[in-house]
Amino acid sequence: MPSQRFHSLTKHELLALYDLKDFAIIIFDETLTLTSISHTSPPIKQWFLKHNLSSPIHIQEVLDLNDTAYDMLTTSLHTDGKYTLTAPAIHEHDTWVTVQLETVQLKNTVAIIGTFHLYQDVMTLHSLAKNVLYHETPNGVFTLNNEGHLIYANAISKELFHHTDASSEGLHFLDIISTKDHKKAQLAFNKVISGNTTELELTGLTKDHQQKQLHIKAMPLSKHGEIYGIVGLLRDTTETYRMKERLKQSEVEYQSLFKENVDAVMTFDLDGHFTALNEATTKLTGYHRSDLLGRTFNFLIEPDLLARTLTNFHATANGHSIEYETVIQTKQGTKRTLNITLIPMVIDDHVHGINCIAKDVSEKKRLNEELRYFAYHDHLTGLKNQIALSKDIDQLINDPIITSFGLLFIDLDRFKLINDTLGHAKGDELLKKIAKRILTTQVDMRQFYRYGGDEFIIVYQNAHIKDVERYANELIHLMSQPYVIDGIDIVNTPTIGVSFYPDDALTSEQLVKKADQAMYHAKNIERGTVQFYQTNLPVQMEGILEIESSLRKAIEHDEFVLHYQPQIETKTGVIHGAEALIRWESPTRGLIPPNVFIPLAEETGLIIPIGEWVIEEVARTIRSLKKADIILPISINLSIRQFYQRNLVERIETILKRYDVDPSLITIEITESMAMDAATALVILQELKALGVKIAIDDFGTGYSSLNYLKQFPIDYLKIDQSFIFDILDDRDDRDITDSIILLGHRLNMSLVAEGVETKAHVELLRGMHCDILQGYYFSKPVPKDA
């Protein structure tokens, strides 16, 4: 507090001093004994009261004056009449008093008056403040001398570096700095010692050699132009540094994902304007970067999809990530189907823009649609297949508007004769012509299906018996007209069986079965007619009963043999393996083909012992070949009854162990239709794979399987149905279908086997399509084991 200076006072001026509030007026007598004190300064009055100084008292009991100071005071008052003195207060730590005294003549006496100021030592307050700051600040505080040695460090600093008081004594500042930053730290120290305040980032080193990122502010300690050392503040910025490094890494990764991504990546503002895009975006759209930046995406979207696209965009602007498909038109005019992922750019809980990833799924979608078409349509005629039939009938049954419908089961008479005489290619051509002719009768209430082979089904909705009968007779008349193939008029009459929902059956399976039964009854009586299902129809014909009886005896008399057809590796031309094909050599009927007795064996359950005999005979063959130093993998066809046999895996395992056969030499072939119950089929296939055998899907492409489940099955081989191969050289559709199946199989990591390879041209074409294995008469017909 500065001293209050004044000149010699008059009496009136002295009285006026009593009105001032910021200091006290004191009056001494000639012996410097206190006689009066102003009551206008409560703090000073309280100070006097506190120290029991309210009664008259000598000045030396107020101020700590040595003899020299007291003598100077009295001498000045007697000679000059006034004196100013600053001295410590008695009994008060760090409190000082400034008095300004003057001798005044009052009537008959002399008085000494003065002003009295109390204040604390500024240096002491500074020391207190410094002490509080050192210990209470959240930052580290340290002091270095001119040589860089640590003179002082507060608790925060010691804790940061894991030091104690003893371990920090005499440390040089470089001892707590990582060696990689020594040069940087030394330069900063030199700069501060030269009088310049400096801030910098350094890597610190704790006592136990851990690294810490530090922000340091260092200032010179100087007095009268001379620098005595350095005082510094430091903050631990390790977490901030790590966060920055993570942000840097994230930025690098983001830029990598953005720039190098094979998919189109772009950024939009909230109004849909392009703000950034990668090279893949320009390749996808055909537009240059400058054509897109600053422009909205609206012009790219197909008009009928724009509203939905904008709805999704606005939802993302509200903070929701969305994935959907849309279609754009490129600069070249081509349409592209895109899988779009929109991600909001959220900063401080606000969306500031939208990131977009666009994957071109045009080819995948085309392939999926193509495969979906194959799944529900017959490849030869284009009609719907068995899967579509079952699905459509279930929908009709569950449709409250549909009260009834008829199912017409059509079988072609003498079609096998046409196939045998003209060949399968001409037989397929005839089937196509028949399908086209049937379709000429199509109306909204009729749906057409190829059930398999030479069998067709028509579902006629909400029709009465008379309507169906009239239509069936018209159909027989239409289909009985000649078909011209290679200049030959071919007449192929149909026989039709009919069942009705709900009168005859309530499920698709039963409706087909009963219509089939009616059709067989019509064939037995008169071909080329229509027969409605009746409950009293005979279930089986005499000829079938005879074959069944002979079939049972064939098992007992060992009348079955296996023939083997080799399978050739396309690239090397070497034998990959062989397929085992069963033959029935009846002593009375001669050689009976499988397509005659296998369906009957399936229906009667005889396929179970026949199938087990096949597995055992193959095991014997593999063992005998092994003894001749021939290792030959062999494929075995399983029937649907075998496949769902409860102890199938155990029976196969028992046989293979009995003959000491490596399971990997056995390939189990199943048809697509056998896997329609996908959940059960998956379990069985997984058990077979665990046994060690290989799995193949036979006749693939005939449209029986659900492609949605195919990727889940542990399949090793897809066998392309031979019907695709017959016309593959001349029929573009068959070629495209085969190519698509090979592409699908390879994408699912399966090997492809083409059946029905009959010419060198077949071999060359399939080699160019990268088919893995070939099988057919070009290499060998099925031959006995000895061959």
Side-chain angles (χ1 to χ4, degrees):
M1 181 183 296
S3 300
Q4 180 72 29
R5 302 287 181 180
F6 58 89
H7 53 273
S8 298
L9 299 174
T10 66
K11 292 180 182 180
H12 294 291
E13 288 174 329
L14 179 63
L15 292 174
L17 288 173
Y18 277 85
D19 294 327
L20 297 178
K21 307 282 186 185
D22 59 343
F23 57 88
I25 301 297
I26 55 176
I27 302 175
F28 296 91
D29 61 16
E30 288 182 295
T31 65
L32 290 177
T33 298
L34 184 67
T35 61
S36 177
I37 183 171
S38 168
H39 296 287
T40 60
S41 181
I44 295 176
K45 180 179 179 181
Q46 290 298 322
W47 184 83
F48 275 96
L49 291 173
K50 175 182 175 183
H51 294 84
N52 296 317
L53 300 176
S54 56
S55 59
I57 192 167
H58 195 270
I59 194 170
Q60 283 184 299
E61 295 184 51
V62 179
L63 301 179
D64 185 8
L65 300 174
N66 56 31
D67 292 343
T68 302
Y70 183 73
D71 290 343
M72 288 179 65
L73 169 63
T74 54
T75 301
S76 294
L77 287 175
H78 284 101
T79 57
D80 298 332
K82 53 186 177 182
Y83 189 74
T84 299
L85 173 69
T86 298
I90 293 293
H91 308 309
E92 185 72 20
H93 181 64
D94 293 332
T95 299
W96 289 62
V97 178
T98 296
V99 292
Q100 296 181 166
L101 302 175
E102 183 176 358
T103 302
V104 178
Q105 183 71 41
L106 297 174
K107 293 186 178 180
N108 299 323
T109 185
V110 174
I112 300 172
I113 65 166
T115 58
F116 183 95
H117 294 265
L118 284 172
Y119 65 94
Q120 286 187 300
D121 181 8
V122 175
M123 292 303 293
T124 301
L125 285 175
H126 178 70
S127 298
L128 287 173
K130 180 177 71 174
N131 190 51
V132 170
L133 284 173
Y134 268 38
H135 291 90
E136 300 301 327
T137 179
N139 297 321
V141 182
F142 64 90
T143 305
L144 303 177
N145 64 17
N146 285 349
E147 286 75 39
H149 291 283
L150 189 66
I151 302 301
Y152 172 81
N154 69 349
I156 298 293
S157 300
K158 293 172 185 175
E159 182 181 349
L160 176 62
F161 289 99
H162 303 172
H163 277 282
T164 61
D165 288 338
S167 66
S168 64
E169 287 181 5
L171 279 176
H172 192 274
F173 72 90
L174 291 179
D175 295 335
I176 55 174
I177 301 297
S178 173
T179 53
K180 68 183 180 67
D181 280 351
H182 274 190
K183 184 176 181 180
K184 182 179 179 182
Q186 186 65 55
L187 289 172
F189 178 82
N190 295 341
K191 184 177 180 181
V192 180
I193 282 296
S194 299
N196 301 295
T197 297
T198 300
E199 288 190 59
L200 72 161
E201 300 281 342
L202 290 173
T203 302
L205 202 62
T206 67
K207 184 180 179 182
D208 47 0
H209 304 291
Q210 294 182 28
Q211 290 192 345
K212 300 275 188 176
Q213 292 303 127
L214 306 174
H215 176 85
I216 299 175
K217 182 174 182 179
M219 297 156 283
L221 286 173
S222 61
K223 186 175 182 181
H224 305 305
E226 184 176 352
I227 297 175
Y228 293 90
I230 292 175
V231 64
L233 300 175
L234 59 87
R235 285 186 295 111
D236 184 359
T237 59
T238 304
E239 283 306 313
T240 304
Y241 176 82
R242 287 175 182 167
M243 186 177 296
K244 287 180 180 178
E245 289 299 307
R246 287 195 294 268
L247 287 173
K248 278 184 188 176
Q249 181 63 26
S250 297
E251 177 66 18
V252 170
E253 292 172 355
Y254 172 78
Q255 289 298 328
S256 177
L257 285 173
F258 189 89
K259 293 179 180 178
E260 305 302 329
N261 205 317
V262 295
D263 296 325
V265 183
M266 58 212 85
T267 304
F268 301 104
D269 64 19
L270 296 182
D271 294 321
H273 297 95
F274 283 91
T275 58
L277 52 99
N278 66 352
E279 187 65 24
T281 304
T282 63
K283 291 181 180 178
L284 174 67
T285 63
Y287 288 94
H288 192 270
R289 179 182 301 271
S290 59
D291 298 331
L292 298 175
L293 289 176
R295 192 174 181 183
T296 66
F297 59 78
N298 298 19
F299 77 100
L300 291 170
I301 309 299
E302 280 292 287
D304 56 339
L305 295 176
L306 182 58
R308 175 172 172 264
T309 300
L310 289 174
T311 298
N312 289 327
F313 186 86
H314 293 148
T316 306
N318 289 324
H320 304 285
S321 294
I322 291 180
E323 183 176 355
Y324 64 99
E325 280 192 2
T326 193
V327 178
I328 68 167
Q329 187 166 5
T330 69
K331 188 175 183 179
Q332 293 73 28
T334 58
K335 292 183 180 180
R336 296 282 185 182
T337 302
L338 306 181
N339 178 272
I340 300 292
T341 302
L342 296 180
I343 305 166
M345 297 166 57
V346 181
I347 303 173
D348 296 332
D349 296 328
H350 293 286
V351 178
H352 292 266
I354 293 176
N355 285 323
C356 173
I357 302 174
K359 181 184 289 292
D360 186 355
V361 295
S362 304
E363 182 62 21
K364 178 182 177 183
K365 193 171 183 67
R366 184 197 65 77
L367 181 61
N368 286 343
E369 288 174 353
E370 193 172 281
L371 292 176
R372 179 177 174 80
Y373 178 85
F374 293 153
Y376 291 101
H377 289 80
D378 170 55
H379 73 278
L380 182 66
T381 63
L383 298 179
K384 291 184 178 181
N385 61 18
Q386 279 193 37
I387 294 178
L389 172 68
S390 177
K391 178 173 172 287
D392 291 349
I393 289 180
D394 288 344
Q395 287 180 349
L396 289 176
I397 291 172
N398 293 318
D399 189 340
I401 299 176
I402 305 298
T403 57
S404 66
F405 57 87
L407 187 146
L408 291 76
F409 195 106
I410 304 169
D411 184 84
L412 303 178
D413 303 328
R414 300 189 314 128
F415 182 77
K416 184 178 182 302
L417 176 62
I418 296 170
N419 252 350
D420 292 343
T421 55
L422 298 181
H424 286 284
K426 302 306 177 186
D428 287 349
E429 186 177 344
L430 176 60
L431 288 173
K432 292 178 183 178
K433 290 179 177 292
I434 290 172
K436 287 181 180 179
R437 191 172 291 184
I438 291 175
L439 283 173
T440 62
T441 68
Q442 186 172 25
V443 294
D444 290 342
M445 304 306 288
R446 299 172 192 158
Q447 293 292 326
F448 300 84
Y449 307 84
R450 184 188 178 196
Y451 192 69
D454 61 343
E455 297 169 337
F456 297 85
I457 285 178
I458 299 174
V459 176
Y460 198 145
Q461 301 174 25
N462 288 341
H464 298 291
I465 292 178
K466 290 293 183 183
D467 297 329
V468 174
E469 184 177 19
R470 183 169 54 250
Y471 173 64
N473 286 319
E474 290 174 358
L475 204 57
I476 291 173
H477 176 73
L478 176 67
M479 294 176 65
S480 299
Q481 302 303 311
Y483 300 89
V484 179
I485 297 178
D486 285 349
I488 302 173
D489 286 346
I490 298 175
V491 176
N492 192 255
T493 59
T495 299
I496 302 176
V498 182
S499 63
F500 272 92
Y501 171 86
D503 298 337
D504 298 327
L506 299 176
T507 66
S508 60
E509 183 180 359
Q510 287 297 316
L511 284 166
V512 172
K513 183 176 180 180
K514 291 184 176 181
D516 185 32
Q517 189 175 338
M519 183 272 296
Y520 270 112
H521 180 66
K523 275 183 177 288
N524 199 41
I525 298 172
E526 182 183 1
R527 293 172 182 261
T529 61
V530 58
Q531 172 68 55
F532 288 83
Y533 174 78
Q534 299 173 27
T535 55
N536 59 353
L537 287 178
V539 177
Q540 293 178 326
M541 280 59 73
E542 183 180 353
I544 295 177
L545 292 174
E546 288 180 1
I547 295 175
E548 180 184 347
S549 176
S550 299
L551 191 58
R552 292 182 185 277
K553 292 177 183 178
I555 299 172
E556 299 171 8
H557 298 157
D558 199 20
E559 295 175 5
F560 295 109
V561 295
L562 290 182
H563 286 187
Y564 298 88
Q565 187 172 35
Q567 298 170 329
I568 309 300
E569 290 184 1
T570 311
K571 290 182 179 179
T572 63
V574 302
I575 294 178
H576 173 82
E579 180 179 2
L581 301 167
I582 192 169
R583 300 289 185 264
W584 179 12
E585 294 181 338
S586 170
T588 58
R589 297 172 179 269
L591 189 64
I592 301 175
N595 63 334
V596 173
F597 70 86
I598 291 296
L600 184 59
E602 282 273 13
E603 186 175 347
T604 59
L606 293 173
I607 195 68
I608 298 297
I610 292 174
E612 190 162 321
W613 175 86
V614 170
I615 297 171
E616 192 154 0
E617 177 63 19
V618 166
R620 280 193 290 266
T621 299
I622 291 176
R623 184 177 65 176
S624 64
L625 290 172
K626 182 180 178 182
K627 290 179 180 179
D629 292 328
I630 299 173
I631 305 299
L632 184 70
I634 297 179
S635 300
I636 300 171
N637 290 284
L638 281 192
S639 71
I640 190 167
R641 276 182 178 262
Q642 281 180 282
F643 186 65
Y644 289 106
Q645 184 183 351
R646 183 177 59 82
N647 61 343
L648 170 68
V649 178
E650 289 81 1
R651 294 299 303 149
I652 294 176
E653 184 176 19
T654 299
I655 292 170
L656 296 183
K657 286 182 178 178
R658 182 187 307 153
Y659 292 96
D660 189 25
V661 172
D662 182 353
S664 66
L665 295 177
I666 299 291
T667 297
I668 300 297
E669 294 189 12
I670 66 170
T671 61
E672 294 182 82
S673 58
M674 289 162 60
M676 286 179 64
D677 182 0
T680 305
L682 179 59
V683 173
I684 297 171
L685 291 173
Q686 287 174 336
E687 290 177 351
L688 286 169
K689 283 296 289 184
L691 182 60
V693 301
K694 304 290 181 62
I695 306 293
I697 294 289
D698 196 13
D699 300 333
F700 184 77
T702 54
Y704 294 100
S705 71
S706 173
L707 296 178
N708 292 329
Y709 293 101
L710 183 61
K711 63 181 180 180
Q712 299 181 26
F713 294 158
I715 305 300
D716 299 289
Y717 302 99
L718 284 185
K719 299 191 71 176
I720 305 169
D721 187 66
Q722 60 183 350
S723 60
F724 293 107
I725 308 302
F726 289 142
D727 288 339
I728 194 171
L729 299 174
D730 303 319
D731 192 316
R732 177 69 184 183
D733 290 341
D734 281 349
R735 192 155 60 249
D736 289 344
I737 290 169
T738 302
D739 198 28
S740 295
I741 292 173
I742 293 172
L743 174 64
L744 170 68
H746 284 161
R747 285 189 177 178
L748 295 177
N749 295 319
M750 301 173 187
S751 296
L752 276 296
V753 182
E755 296 182 291
V757 178
E758 297 184 353
T759 67
K760 185 176 182 180
H762 283 159
V763 174
E764 295 302 324
L765 180 58
L766 289 167
R767 181 181 289 122
M769 290 181 176
H770 305 292
C771 185
D772 303 291
I773 300 166
L774 306 179
Q775 179 180 345
Y777 276 33
Y778 176 76
F779 301 104
S780 173
K781 65 179 182 179
V783 294
K785 177 174 64 176
D786 293 342

